[in-house]
Amino acid sequence: MPPKRPSNGPMFIVKGPVYSDGDASHRPEQGSLTRANEDGYLQTLAEKWIKEESRTAQPGRRYILDQLPAGYEVWERPRPSQPKHVDRWLYGHPDQKKFDSPNRFFPHFKYLMQHGTGDACKCDICTSKKRQASPRLSTTRPLATAKNPQTRPPPFNRGPVDEEGTPDVYCALFTLLKHEGKLSRAIEERASLDWRAERSLVKTLAKVIPKQPAFIPRHGETVLYLQPLPPGIQLQQDPKTHQIYLHDNIRDRSAGSPKWLAGVVTQVPSTNPETASLYPPPSTLPGGANNEIEEPSLNINGFRIEPLPSLNSSDKYLSKQHTYTQLHLIRPFAFWQLLLEGIPQSEWHISIQNAITASATVSLINREHFGGRWPNASIYSKGLFVGAECYWISDTVRLLFDKPSAAAAVAAASQQPTAQYKNNKTAIVMEIQQIITKFHNLHPEPSNNAIVTGNRCDRITITLQGPIYTSTRKTSTSHLPVPRNELSPPMQTYNDTSWWHLTHPSEIHSVSFSNICSRLYESHAVASYFPSLPKSVLLDSHLSNGEAVTHARAVAAATDERIVDLSADNDDDGEGAEEGQKKKKKKKKEWFWADCRAEGLDLQSVNGLEVGLYDGEREPKLWRQVLGVVDGWKERVDRGVVGNRREAGGDSESGSGSEVEREEERCDDVVEEEEEEEEEVGEDSDDDDDVMEIEAPDKKKARVEVTIPLRK
């Protein structure tokens, strides 16, 4: 007889496998069985796993899995001959066969814990006959990349695994939603080293950015900037023509037009620049101390900016010409028309046209939660990039609703854009509270009705939710003013402006991401950019009536070669599409939906390191195995993985052992950062008394990374 479990004492919760091959379509006939309590399976599997693999089981302790592998469920019925005895079976195996006990399932469970995917499982079902290849479902996915820059996967092109072989968390969630009917859970991509490495950075940014002024450039944003100027030279604005020019303070004369470049912010100062950083150092201003001109230090509040290369070319030489520059020489790209006023287009740096071509890109930041009711699903994110700028929850953004036709914008692309100052103070702004990607009316894959990848749905939308305010009473339907203590920090800086609720204060609005124009920059920042403008037009000059942003997006939609005719996507609508959908008039895409910022800007390198489509050093298969060792569900890395890499042209000087050790150290660093973050969260928790930890004796052999609240 098996040893009797202790009936009391704390219950230690052990995390189940990151991977799963569970088939959510494998279920009993309707009405034949009922869903069963899964605790018996969860406890038996956890205790056997701890005993056989980790060797950390202690007398008197009880263990239980947090959940079964995705796609598996326990069903039961009373035995006909003995109604008091209940028989239970586990459904979900991809061969459509059921397990009759947790002990029978454990070999398969053990294989998932140690290896994830593959066909070498030795459980009774997997070895009963030669198995047919079946799609693997799981719960993780890395950022989309491809080593061949000529091969670009379409946005949201998903499947059980991605092109690197890493399981796709979204495909698994869509499929589980179809089976459950309703779903809500956090998104974790634990098999992706990309996700795990970026997680700590995203958490830091989520804390820092809401406390920053809106005018401070952010990682990944496209900006206009100048190289460090010679001593005594500063930017000024002509009070009559409103054109920006360089002024020589020593000779008190014009020094010509500024040589603007457009680039990507790749490093920001470790401390936030002060408002004074918007202006040149005092020694460069007229009347400075003894007119002694000193070269400003680039190490003080310096931003590292790399010129933006062409999206439509594989030549990315511009990225290697980075500059460290100061805040007073940087401008938001939304002002490009105003800043380039009077400068012939033939004299623009090539990076500016590249930035305009990149103005119709969108990518999400930190997709953190999944929810929905079949057949609709939503993914909630912390932030997103739209064109040149980065937006986070809590940002106040300018909205625009009227846009010119693409044909009109393209026709005007060859003409010199002219900024207009209309003395129109009306501004409509939103405080972002939620960023939601919605999948409307999902369809399963025609080749396998049990799988939902998200590729087949009526439409995908990205919407922002939050309250909307207007700067004029006449555009408000409620005519209710916003109390000053309820205004966001950027709104409060416009002292001469009264803000009104656009509609009733209880209403939360939803708008498309394409309605974003730019962040609402503080009034003193806009005044520093355009010192000759009166305060009465600061709101209007910030938008330039929306013409600069909408013009750039329309030109980008026509010149970005990745934005193709929608008819290419509709040639094969599949069995789940409506007939009427096939007859719709062909429509041109207006946006390139990227999986990450590097893909959106088609960057080859950032800070000197290859990224995205161009990273030839990515070893996702090796990383997945090393993560398995670090997390404790795999004992060792298969040496063949490293050998295959060397045969393919990897580093032949270092042995496989040292290479694995380096990757293990790299992954250890990521996991240690995660553990430090979890400890910080634990310190802030009100439930510290209900949390215990298991420490494996050997981190590289038997790490059991668990969250262990006392089970209630």
Side-chain angles (χ1 to χ4, degrees):
M1 294 180 60
K4 186 177 179 180
R5 293 192 184 98
S7 59
N8 50 34
M11 182 74 78
F12 292 80
I13 299 179
V14 182
K15 289 185 178 180
V18 175
Y19 302 97
S20 176
D21 62 353
D23 184 353
S25 69
H26 179 221
R27 296 294 182 264
E29 294 183 4
Q30 187 173 2
S32 61
L33 301 175
T34 58
R35 285 288 299 274
N37 187 303
E38 298 175 345
D39 283 357
Y41 270 79
L42 296 176
Q43 291 187 42
T44 299
L45 294 172
E47 290 172 0
K48 289 177 70 68
W49 171 252
I50 290 291
K51 181 178 179 180
E52 293 194 13
E53 297 303 315
S54 300
R55 297 178 294 280
T56 58
Q58 299 183 16
R61 287 189 174 184
R62 297 183 299 161
Y63 302 91
I64 191 168
L65 285 180
D66 58 346
Q67 61 183 4
L68 289 173
Y72 285 90
E73 289 181 355
V74 180
W75 292 74
E76 67 180 11
R77 73 176 179 188
R79 183 174 297 179
S81 59
Q82 299 177 355
K84 292 184 178 181
H85 184 87
V86 178
D87 293 319
R88 296 182 178 88
W89 295 273
L90 181 70
Y91 286 77
H93 192 280
D95 281 352
Q96 302 282 305
K97 292 185 178 182
K98 58 184 181 291
F99 294 95
D100 58 8
S101 73
N103 290 328
R104 291 279 182 89
F105 177 61
F106 181 74
H108 194 81
F109 172 83
K110 180 179 178 181
Y111 183 81
L112 293 176
M113 292 287 282
Q114 292 180 332
H115 303 283
T117 59
D119 295 318
C121 176
K122 302 300 182 182
C123 75
D124 292 344
I125 293 179
C126 291
T127 57
S128 61
K129 63 180 181 65
K130 185 177 180 180
R131 296 180 54 193
Q132 296 180 352
S134 58
R136 298 281 180 173
L137 302 182
S138 175
T139 58
T140 52
R141 183 179 195 272
L143 299 176
T145 57
K147 293 184 179 180
N148 181 2
Q150 303 301 321
T151 304
R152 301 182 185 276
F156 294 102
N157 183 28
R158 307 202 177 281
V161 297
D162 71 356
E163 64 276 1
E164 290 185 330
T166 305
D168 187 333
V169 61
Y170 304 100
C171 175
L173 291 171
F174 289 136
T175 303
L176 191 58
L177 173 64
K178 178 179 181 293
H179 172 67
E180 298 287 347
K182 180 182 178 181
L183 193 63
S184 176
R185 65 176 54 184
I187 296 174
E188 290 190 340
E189 307 182 42
R190 301 192 65 83
S192 167
L193 188 59
D194 297 297
W195 178 82
R196 297 173 73 148
E198 292 171 355
R199 190 167 168 231
S200 60
L201 173 61
V202 169
K203 285 189 174 183
T204 301
L205 293 177
K207 294 178 181 179
V208 172
I209 286 180
K211 300 177 183 179
Q212 288 182 337
F215 62 78
I216 296 181
R218 299 173 179 176
H219 283 98
E221 287 193 323
T222 304
V223 296
L224 284 174
Y225 69 101
L226 296 176
Q227 302 277 3
L229 298 176
I233 304 297
Q234 72 169 102
L235 287 167
Q236 287 193 7
Q237 185 179 28
D238 190 297
K240 296 181 179 179
T241 64
H242 300 303
Q243 294 180 6
I244 304 296
Y245 69 98
L246 294 175
H247 188 268
D248 188 335
N249 293 331
I250 298 177
R251 298 174 179 81
D252 193 21
R253 66 183 184 185
S254 172
S257 299
K259 305 297 183 182
W260 293 106
L261 295 88
V264 183
V265 178
T266 61
Q267 291 180 18
V268 299
S270 57
T271 58
N272 287 337
E274 302 294 337
T275 299
S277 301
L278 290 166
Y279 301 91
S283 59
T284 66
L285 299 175
N290 299 324
N291 283 334
E292 293 180 1
I293 307 301
E294 298 179 1
E295 181 73 22
S297 171
L298 297 182
N299 293 324
I300 301 177
N301 296 336
F303 292 79
R304 189 183 195 273
I305 305 178
E306 300 177 1
L308 188 64
S310 172
L311 297 176
N312 301 326
S313 171
S314 59
D315 190 347
K316 308 294 181 180
Y317 69 95
L318 284 178
S319 294
K320 303 183 183 302
Q321 302 176 12
H322 72 272
T323 298
Y324 283 92
T325 192
Q326 293 181 295
L327 184 60
H328 70 276
L329 300 177
I330 302 174
R331 300 290 184 268
F333 194 75
F335 295 128
W336 67 274
Q337 272 192 349
L338 303 176
L339 297 170
L340 296 174
E341 175 74 7
I343 302 176
Q345 191 166 343
S346 59
E347 297 181 10
W348 293 0
H349 191 271
I350 185 62
S351 61
I352 296 176
Q353 189 59 53
N354 295 340
I356 293 175
T357 305
S359 296
T361 64
V362 58
S363 58
L364 299 170
I365 303 172
N366 191 25
R367 289 162 279 197
E368 62 175 356
H369 193 84
F370 178 93
R373 292 178 181 269
W374 180 259
N376 302 313
S378 298
I379 294 175
Y380 297 82
S381 304
K382 280 287 190 184
L384 79 167
F385 284 95
V386 179
E389 294 194 6
C390 172
Y391 306 97
W392 286 76
I393 290 176
S394 78
D395 275 341
T396 303
V397 297
R398 294 289 299 257
L399 298 180
L400 52 86
F401 295 95
D402 298 323
K403 60 182 181 180
S405 66
V410 173
S414 60
Q415 302 176 6
Q416 178 68 26
T418 302
Q420 299 293 329
Y421 300 96
K422 298 184 178 181
N423 198 20
N424 179 0
K425 291 183 62 176
T426 300
I428 299 177
V429 302
M430 167 184 272
E431 287 187 61
I432 302 176
Q433 293 181 346
Q434 285 190 325
I435 300 170
I436 309 174
T437 306
K438 297 182 179 181
F439 294 77
H440 302 264
N441 197 19
L442 289 157
H443 303 285
E445 292 300 299
S447 59
N448 188 336
N449 192 58
I451 295 179
V452 184
T453 62
N455 297 331
R456 297 179 180 274
C457 60
D458 288 356
R459 69 185 188 280
I460 305 174
T461 60
I462 300 178
T463 59
L464 291 81
Q465 290 186 356
I468 297 182
Y469 310 107
T470 177
S471 61
T472 56
R473 187 176 187 274
K474 65 180 180 180
T475 55
S476 169
T477 59
S478 66
H479 302 302
L480 295 175
V482 184
R484 183 167 181 80
N485 62 353
E486 296 181 9
L487 296 175
S488 66
M491 296 168 67
Q492 292 182 13
T493 63
Y494 292 86
N495 297 321
D496 298 332
T497 300
S498 297
W499 295 93
W500 307 78
H501 292 280
L502 185 67
T503 59
H504 194 274
S506 62
E507 296 183 12
I508 299 296
H509 301 268
S510 295
V511 300
S512 170
F513 73 91
S514 60
N515 291 122
I516 300 178
C517 177
S518 66
R519 287 198 297 278
L520 178 66
Y521 293 103
E522 290 79 1
S523 63
H524 53 271
V526 181
S528 72
Y529 302 153
F530 308 104
S532 71
L533 295 183
K535 292 183 178 180
S536 60
V537 301
L538 288 182
L539 281 174
D540 177 66
S541 67
H542 175 66
L543 248 182
S544 188
N545 206 28
E547 293 174 0
V549 173
T550 54
H551 177 97
R553 291 177 182 175
V555 172
T559 56
D560 186 342
E561 295 177 358
R562 304 171 302 179
I563 303 178
V564 297
D565 195 328
L566 271 177
S567 60
D569 294 334
N570 293 332
D571 287 342
D572 181 16
D573 287 293
E575 298 175 3
E578 299 290 341
E579 287 297 326
Q581 186 177 0
K582 298 180 181 180
K583 299 179 181 179
K584 285 183 180 180
K585 183 179 179 180
K586 290 183 179 181
K587 179 184 177 181
K588 290 288 186 180
K589 278 188 177 181
E590 297 179 348
W591 294 88
F592 177 73
W593 291 34
D595 209 31
C596 61
R597 184 59 167 172
E599 182 184 21
L601 299 181
D602 194 29
L603 298 178
Q604 177 178 351
S605 62
V606 174
N607 293 326
L609 301 175
E610 292 183 338
V611 296
L613 301 172
Y614 299 88
D615 184 3
E617 297 299 320
R618 292 182 62 84
E619 291 296 332
K621 187 174 182 179
L622 176 61
W623 294 349
R624 289 195 297 272
Q625 294 207 21
V626 172
L627 285 175
V629 174
V630 173
D631 282 348
W633 55 264
K634 188 175 180 62
E635 292 185 356
R636 63 181 62 86
V637 172
D638 296 338
R639 300 299 177 179
V641 175
V642 183
N644 292 339
R645 179 186 184 276
R646 303 214 323 266
E647 291 175 3
D651 183 5
S652 59
E653 295 181 1
S654 60
S656 60
S658 61
E659 185 166 355
V660 171
E661 290 173 1
R662 288 198 302 271
E663 295 296 340
E664 287 180 350
E665 292 174 359
R666 179 177 180 180
C667 294
D668 276 344
D669 292 341
V670 173
V671 174
E672 287 172 4
E673 290 179 1
E674 292 180 347
E675 291 175 341
E676 291 174 0
E677 293 167 5
E678 291 175 358
E679 289 177 2
E680 292 176 2
V681 173
E683 292 173 359
D684 297 335
S685 173
D686 294 331
D687 301 325
D688 286 347
D689 293 339
D690 292 337
V691 178
M692 299 184 180
E693 295 183 358
I694 294 178
E695 294 184 359
D698 187 335
K699 179 173 64 173
K700 292 188 177 182
K701 288 186 178 180
R703 175 182 294 273
V704 182
E705 186 180 350
V706 292
T707 304
I708 315 173
L710 297 179
R711 192 172 180 84
K712 298 180 180 179

